[in-house]
Amino acid sequence: MRKPFLGGNWKMNTDKASAVALASALADSVGSLTDKVDVAVCPPFVYLDTVSQALAQSSIAVSSQDIYFESNGAFTGEISTDMLKDVGCEYVLVGHSERRHVIGETDELINRKVKAAIAAGLKVIFCVGELLAQREAEQTDEVVKQQIEKGLVGIDAAGAANITIAYEPVWAIGTGLTATPAQAQEVHAMIRNLIAGMYSQDFADQVRIQYGGSAKPANAAELMSQPDVDGLLIGGASLKPEDFTSMIASAAESV
Ligand code: PEP
């Protein structure tokens, strides 16, 4: 049985006061739902420390939105794994589509980041997903397969046990367009099959695969009812504590 896992990606939103208010409101409203659902929030780097402190008494984990693969030194503007652990991060997002397609991160860079995070004892939410043109050209499986194979080069099963995969079709992120539950299920099943081939069926049965892309209270239950959808990575709706909590409740009911 895979415990559902919901992540809230705040992206480049909030300020210090609203980040603390959002984290505190969420901690108050989730209550014992975290017995059934793992929950993490991903604030901007500069608020990680404050948000970690605000969530110290809760079971909500904190994640960064990115990471750098070097441990220290002359890398202006970058943030290391030790710095993230120092401010209470348990998870890191790696390979989010906005970093792939807006910032220009490659599969090779993403692979170095995944390896560095695992080596440092951090858990990774590893994001993959196709562009609209790639879906229309029926290249979804091939694109996602390549992102996973290249992103996980050199990572053995012990390392990969620290990874959650987030399937996020790029055309659905922040657009209001959501993959249908059937579309999500189809890709999630393909990913699980791929992971079984790369590692083992037992391993693939354990790995959690989140869906991301305009997930909201109205579609959370149906997405979560799909057999290979083990959680959600949520952008916009995670900025509203009542919406995020309602989605966590839907995930709890799906168990
Ligand atoms: C995301 O940021 O990963 C995401 C899925 O955003 P949204 O829910 O706003 O589409």
Side-chain angles (χ1 to χ4, degrees):
M1 174 60 87
R2 298 180 292 266
K3 187 177 181 188
F5 177 23
L6 267 63
N9 177 14
W10 296 0
K11 310 195 192 206
M12 200 171 72
N13 291 302
T14 69
D15 56 19
K16 192 170 172 184
S18 61
V20 171
L22 177 53
S24 306
L26 188 63
D28 287 345
S29 60
V30 293
S32 61
L33 288 172
T34 48
D35 293 346
K36 288 189 172 169
V37 181
D38 286 336
V39 178
V41 293
C42 319
F45 279 131
V46 288
Y47 306 132
L48 283 168
D49 196 9
T50 322
V51 168
S52 293
Q53 289 173 40
L55 294 175
Q57 304 308 317
S58 82
S59 312
I60 300 171
V62 174
S63 171
S64 69
Q65 299 176 14
D66 187 30
I67 189 182
Y68 196 58
F69 60 83
E70 296 284 1
S71 51
N72 66 289
F75 303 102
T76 302
E78 296 295 346
I79 306 286
S80 75
T81 52
D82 282 351
M83 292 172 186
L84 294 174
K85 289 195 293 184
D86 201 21
V87 294
C89 270
E90 183 177 340
Y91 290 89
V92 296
L93 283 187
V94 180
H96 190 276
S97 80
E98 286 142 24
R99 299 213 60 86
R100 288 179 188 268
H101 300 295
V102 181
I103 314 285
E105 292 196 359
T106 62
D107 288 315
E108 290 67 30
L109 175 60
I110 289 164
N111 175 244
R112 295 181 83 164
K113 292 184 175 191
V114 174
K115 282 183 179 157
I118 292 171
L122 289 160
K123 296 176 191 156
V124 177
I125 303 172
F126 169 50
C127 306
V128 296
E130 82 286 3
L131 297 163
L132 181 57
Q134 293 168 329
R135 174 160 282 264
E136 287 174 347
E138 298 185 2
Q139 294 166 344
T140 298
D141 286 8
E142 193 47 38
V143 168
V144 170
K145 186 169 176 273
Q146 278 211 22
Q147 289 172 336
I148 292 178
E149 286 176 346
K150 290 184 175 172
L152 300 187
V153 165
I155 297 169
D156 63 12
N162 298 295
I163 294 175
T164 297
I165 295 173
Y167 167 58
E168 301 203 292
V170 181
W171 47 272
I173 300 180
T175 59
L177 297 173
T178 314
T180 63
Q183 283 173 322
Q185 168 57 27
E186 198 182 338
V187 180
H188 282 226
M190 183 278 292
I191 292 173
R192 201 175 303 285
N193 239 338
L194 174 66
I195 295 291
M198 290 170 69
Y199 297 98
S200 70
Q201 188 61 54
D202 273 2
F203 183 86
D205 289 339
Q206 310 289 324
V207 77
R208 293 189 291 190
I209 308 173
Q210 296 175 325
Y211 166 80
S214 299
K216 46 188 176 272
N219 57 26
E222 212 185 344
L223 285 163
M224 286 302 304
S225 72
Q226 301 302 307
D228 288 295
V229 176
D230 308 313
L232 301 168
L233 184 55
I234 303 158
S238 74
L239 294 169
K240 297 181 196 138
E242 62 283 6
D243 284 3
F244 194 30
T245 303
S246 132
M247 298 166 84
I248 297 166
S250 293
E253 280 160 27
S254 75
V255 179

